[in-house]
Amino acid sequence: MKIYVITHKKYKKIKSVYPYYPLLVGSSNGNKGENFYLKDNKGNNISKKNKSYCELTGTYWIWKNNLENNNDIVGIVHYRRYFTKYKGIFKRFGILNSKDYSKILERFDMILPMKNLGEFNGKKAKEFFIENHDEEVWNITKKIIFKEFNDYYDDFCWFENQKSGYCYNMLVTKENIYSRYCSWIFPILNEIEKNINLDDYDDYNQRMIGFIAERLMNVWVHHNNFKVKEIPVYFQK
């Protein structure tokens, strides 16, 4: 079992270590962490794309370099975001441990962040994305899905009208499902990247690929009808 803690800098570790492994993203762009952190610029990687792909450069690195057994548990959290047993009130001992993950994944396909917490501010997914990011990117993504991944098109149209969704690009599952997800999403993200000019955006929306990937997670999960266990996420300041 390996749960990778995605970070772009040094951070204060949580109390329990196993099964958490720090993974420094954007390593090729000068991001610095502790010497013992894993780095996303080793082996087959897209570390240089971190400014736009965000935690996805870590997701990609794990997929290409560190999957070992289809039945092993793998996933990502963030240096400030962890799956926890408690909603609303964080207690350090409440962070999920290896036994928690194993027990949950005996009955579910994957663990994702709890939704229906006002993540789209009461708006539909498409409306919220357009308001905060770029309508052109949404439309480009929809066209790519229609042309290259047509069996997912109805799922994309379904998600446009949802008022809640899974956020943060956080996922814990078995390695075979993790690999299936990566094999699906990265070709789409690559096509999106080819069709937009990231230089047109401010610093916030330079993270555009990461933002659209959050939405695509919902499309993929809906299409495959996975059995999801939604878990609260604690945001550590």
Side-chain angles (χ1 to χ4, degrees):
M1 182 185 300
K2 290 184 178 179
I3 311 300
Y4 295 88
V5 183
I6 304 296
T7 185
H8 64 280
K9 62 180 182 179
K10 294 180 181 180
Y11 71 97
K12 186 177 181 180
K13 289 195 302 181
I14 58 172
K15 186 177 294 184
S16 79
V17 179
Y18 179 80
Y20 295 100
Y21 298 85
L23 174 56
L24 183 73
V25 295
S27 302
S28 290
N29 298 336
N31 289 348
K32 303 293 183 183
E34 300 286 359
N35 289 335
F36 64 88
Y37 290 1
L38 296 166
K39 297 178 177 60
D40 73 343
N41 65 347
K42 306 297 183 182
N44 188 340
N45 72 86
I46 54 172
S47 180
K48 289 184 178 180
K49 296 185 178 184
N50 179 254
K51 189 172 183 180
S52 181
Y53 276 66
C54 309
E55 56 276 316
L56 273 296
T57 63
T59 302
Y60 183 93
W61 182 84
I62 296 164
W63 174 42
K64 290 297 186 179
N65 300 281
N66 230 23
L67 297 187
E68 298 173 354
N69 186 314
N70 283 336
N71 292 316
D72 286 348
I73 293 172
V74 66
I76 67 169
V77 295
H78 299 168
Y79 74 102
R80 290 193 298 177
R81 290 189 178 99
Y82 298 89
F83 289 113
T84 179
K85 300 173 187 177
Y86 304 100
K87 182 179 177 181
I89 300 175
F90 173 71
K91 296 181 180 179
R92 188 167 292 276
F93 60 81
I95 291 174
L96 298 193
N97 58 36
S98 58
K99 290 182 180 179
D100 297 322
Y101 286 119
S102 294
K103 186 175 181 180
I104 292 170
L105 291 174
E106 286 176 358
R107 297 179 294 117
F108 294 88
D109 295 316
M110 62 185 60
I111 296 168
L112 291 174
M114 184 171 286
K115 60 180 182 178
N116 291 305
L117 299 176
E119 47 270 26
F120 299 153
N121 292 339
K123 296 180 173 61
K124 295 178 180 179
K126 179 180 178 179
E127 296 171 339
F128 185 75
F129 187 89
I130 291 171
E131 181 180 279
N132 291 279
H133 306 299
D134 186 354
E135 183 173 7
E136 181 183 6
V137 173
W138 189 274
N139 292 335
I140 287 170
T141 304
K142 189 173 183 177
K143 289 177 182 177
I144 290 169
I145 295 289
F146 180 77
K147 184 178 179 180
E148 304 292 341
F149 302 88
N150 188 259
D151 52 333
Y152 282 84
Y153 184 73
D154 288 345
D155 304 283
F156 190 91
C157 294
W158 163 82
F159 181 63
E160 285 186 321
N161 296 306
Q162 299 306 301
K163 292 187 175 181
S164 65
Y166 302 118
C167 297
Y168 314 131
N169 289 316
M170 291 169 59
L171 164 69
V172 178
T173 186
K174 295 291 182 68
E175 286 193 354
N176 61 329
I177 296 177
Y178 184 95
S179 184
R180 285 173 57 190
Y181 168 63
C182 292
S183 297
W184 179 79
I185 198 168
F186 281 106
I188 298 174
L189 300 181
N190 186 54
E191 287 301 311
I192 296 170
E193 187 180 11
K194 290 178 183 177
N195 284 275
I196 63 176
N197 185 0
L198 292 167
D199 293 334
D200 290 342
Y201 301 116
D202 58 18
D203 286 345
Y204 176 67
N205 274 313
Q206 286 277 319
R207 299 154 59 189
M208 188 64 72
I209 301 297
F211 290 140
I212 197 67
E214 283 185 288
R215 279 66 181 187
L216 289 173
M217 168 75 78
N218 293 270
V219 175
W220 181 72
V221 170
H222 182 263
H223 177 85
N224 290 284
N225 197 31
F226 288 118
K227 190 175 182 182
V228 176
K229 177 63 176 178
E230 297 182 11
I231 297 289
V233 172
Y234 167 71
F235 180 76
Q236 183 171 244
K237 296 180 180 179

